[in-house]
């Protein structure tokens, strides 16, 4: 009988591509995914997988280059966000259609945040696309979903690693993927990949440079677009010297965008640590937030391979520990080892107030 896994997929922007590799590795080892809980990019990847279209989604993202990603940026002049994410959602709609969450073959939860009521929202029924769209709405960057008086944004604002929605599902283990992990020092994508795959990623980057698709050129293109997204003619702009160049204004707009994303990243990383400490999963896979920027969606192939590599290491450790503990041992003295019997992981009780569930 296949081991059953409750899968928790965290937020993290482009680093969330690693979730695809984790799922592929679990399936290759014969694990059955019994339930999925996801936030932001984790909700997107998890939802696409639950709808049976992960392979098609993988094929699409792996062929995106810098400028393909840039073309997906649909600017809006809304005061509530810089982008609509309409082009991305149109592509997802063409892949998965108008499926309802309750019709998926496994329990699925997408986590968003209700700004009006300042609480988590769990989507466990209703349109899958609407749940994904709400969960990916990074505050200030992607416009929120407004529904029945609720203003719904990225679930990572309160819960970037939603473990609790999966714990009631009958499964052999809970596996969580934290794509905003903090590390003592910055770690690059190439540092973590096996040598041959790191060399392949380096070769891809060199090829893009040779074709004129350098990251610097891509950033310059994004800067041009975000000038109109988040830098309006405010009092600050009007008071700027007349000789201020358009280029320096663009730099100022990009700095705002970078600061918003970096601030959100830091907050999510800290929150994820608390979630893991409060309810430790059986297996934790950590993708350092330094491996790439949240917006580097052109690096799907390498990030998927990273997810698969880290999953293989984590599952090997889990299976090794399970084999070691399968031999019966003498019972420990519960007075000296109070956390050894009934609650070996010192799991904390569920919160007193439950998040609101949306249908």
């Amino acid at each position: 009988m296949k081991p059953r896994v409750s899968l928790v997929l965290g937020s993290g922007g482009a680093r969330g591509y690693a979730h695809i590799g984790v799922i592929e590795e679990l399936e290759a080892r014969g694990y059955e995914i019994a339930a999925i809980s996801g936030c932001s990019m984790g909700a997107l990847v998890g939802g696409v997988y639950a709808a049976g279209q992960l392979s098609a989604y993988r094929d699409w993202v792996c062929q995106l280059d810098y400028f393909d990603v840039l073309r997906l940026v649909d600017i809006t002049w809304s005061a509530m966000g810089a982008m609509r994410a309409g082009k991305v959602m149109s592509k997802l709609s063409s892949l998965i259609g108008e499926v309802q969450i309750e019709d998926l073959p496994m329990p699925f939860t997408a986590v968003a945040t209700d700004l009006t009521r300042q609480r988590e929202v769990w989507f466990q029924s209703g349109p899958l696309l609407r749940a994904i769209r709400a969960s990916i709405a990074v505050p200030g960057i992607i416009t929120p979903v407004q529904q029945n008086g609720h203003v719904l944004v990225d679930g990572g604002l309160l819960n970037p690693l939603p473990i609790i929605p999966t714990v009631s599902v009958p499964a052999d283990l809970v596996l969580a993927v934290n794509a905003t992990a903090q590390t003592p020092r910055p770690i690059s994508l190439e540092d973590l990949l096996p040598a041959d795959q790191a060399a392949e990623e380096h070769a891809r980057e060199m090829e893009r440079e040779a074709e004129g698709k350098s990251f610097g050129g891509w950033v310059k293109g994004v800067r041009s677009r975000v000038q109109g997204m988040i830098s309006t003619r405010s009092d600050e702009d009007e008071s700027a010297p007349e000789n201020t160049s358009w280029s320096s204004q663009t730099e100022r707009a990009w700095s705002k965008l970078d600061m918003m994303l970096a601030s959100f990243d830091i907050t999510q990383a800290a929150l994820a640590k608390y979630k893991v400490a409060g309810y430790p999963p059986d297996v934790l896979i950590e993708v350092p937030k330094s491996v790439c920027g949240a917006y580097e969606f052109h690096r799907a192939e390498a990030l998927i391979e990273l997810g698969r590599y880290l999953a293989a290491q984590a599952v090997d450790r889990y299976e090794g520990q399970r084999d070691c503990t399968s031999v019966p041992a003498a019972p420990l003295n519960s007075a000296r080892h109070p956390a050894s019997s009934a609650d070996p992981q010192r799991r904390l009780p569920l919160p007193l107030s439950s998040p609101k569930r949306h249908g």
Side-chain angles (χ1 to χ4, degrees):
M1 184 176 179
K2 293 182 179 180
R4 289 167 57 84
V5 182
S6 285
L7 187 59
V8 182
L9 304 178
S11 58
R15 294 183 297 273
Y17 282 145
H19 299 323
I20 300 174
V22 171
I23 292 172
E24 290 178 348
E25 182 64 20
L26 289 174
E27 289 195 321
R29 288 172 175 251
Y31 284 80
E32 176 188 351
I33 297 175
I36 296 177
S37 174
C39 172
S40 195
M41 192 64 175
L44 191 157
V45 172
V48 171
Y49 171 76
Q53 295 298 324
L54 187 63
S55 178
Y57 177 74
R58 185 196 202 281
D59 291 343
W60 175 58
V61 298
C62 282
Q63 54 84 32
L64 295 176
D65 63 22
Y66 300 109
F67 299 109
D68 293 325
V69 174
L70 183 60
R71 283 188 285 269
L72 291 172
V73 177
D74 48 354
I75 300 169
T76 177
W77 295 102
S78 169
M80 301 186 76
M83 311 174 201
R84 292 184 296 269
K87 295 179 181 179
V88 172
M89 295 309 298
S90 293
K91 178 62 179 181
L92 292 181
S93 179
S94 70
L95 288 176
I96 65 179
E98 298 300 322
V99 64
Q100 301 292 304
I101 294 175
E102 59 268 32
D103 295 331
L104 295 173
M106 66 190 69
F108 173 79
T109 303
V111 177
T113 302
D114 185 350
L115 288 182
T116 306
R117 291 163 176 80
Q118 300 178 25
R119 64 193 301 181
E120 288 180 45
V121 175
W122 293 359
F123 284 91
Q124 296 178 320
S125 62
L128 176 59
L129 286 173
R130 183 183 66 188
I132 292 173
R133 176 61 179 80
S135 191
I136 67 171
V138 180
I141 307 297
I142 299 177
T143 54
V145 170
Q146 300 185 60
Q147 174 186 313
N148 301 326
H150 303 275
V151 179
L152 305 175
V153 298
D154 195 314
L157 193 61
L158 288 178
N159 193 353
L161 195 63
I163 299 171
I164 292 178
T166 66
V167 298
S168 62
V169 177
D172 298 299
L173 70 149
V174 175
L175 186 149
V177 186
N178 176 15
T180 58
Q182 294 175 316
T183 53
R185 60 177 181 82
I187 300 175
S188 71
L189 183 54
E190 289 77 8
D191 289 337
L192 286 178
L193 286 169
D196 56 339
Q197 294 176 3
E200 289 177 10
E201 173 62 8
H202 179 71
R204 281 193 291 267
E205 289 296 308
M206 295 300 294
E207 182 180 353
R208 289 165 183 150
E209 291 278 353
E211 293 175 355
K213 299 178 180 179
S214 67
F215 185 63
W218 181 79
V219 167
K220 186 178 293 184
V222 175
R223 284 176 173 171
S224 299
R225 290 205 169 199
V226 300
Q227 170 64 25
M229 295 194 306
I230 58 177
S231 183
T232 58
R233 288 290 179 179
S234 62
D235 293 339
E236 176 186 344
D237 294 329
E238 291 172 358
S239 63
E242 290 185 4
N243 62 352
T244 300
S245 68
W246 180 85
S247 177
S248 65
Q249 293 175 14
T250 304
E251 290 286 341
R252 188 163 60 248
W254 177 252
S255 296
K256 290 180 182 178
L257 178 64
D258 256 354
M259 288 177 64
M260 290 166 70
L261 290 172
S263 300
F264 196 54
D265 249 4
I266 292 169
T267 302
Q268 291 183 100
L271 283 171
K273 289 177 66 176
Y274 284 113
K275 296 299 179 182
V276 170
Y279 214 94
D282 299 292
V283 178
L284 176 63
I285 297 171
E286 297 200 294
V287 181
K289 62 186 180 68
S290 60
V291 296
C292 75
Y295 44 80
E296 292 186 57
F297 289 98
H298 60 283
R299 306 187 75 179
E301 193 168 351
L303 287 162
I304 291 170
E305 289 303 320
L306 175 63
R308 186 154 194 168
Y309 178 65
L310 294 177
Q313 291 182 319
V315 174
D316 282 345
R317 288 193 297 269
Y318 169 76
E319 292 178 345
Q321 292 168 358
R322 183 188 59 187
D323 292 342
C324 290
T325 58
S326 62
V327 179
L332 296 173
N333 186 328
S334 59
R336 295 179 59 188
H337 303 275
S340 63
S341 54
D343 194 10
Q345 293 180 318
R346 290 193 180 95
R347 295 188 171 182
L348 300 183
L350 298 181
L352 295 177
S353 59
S354 299
K356 185 174 180 61
R357 289 167 170 78
H358 266 236

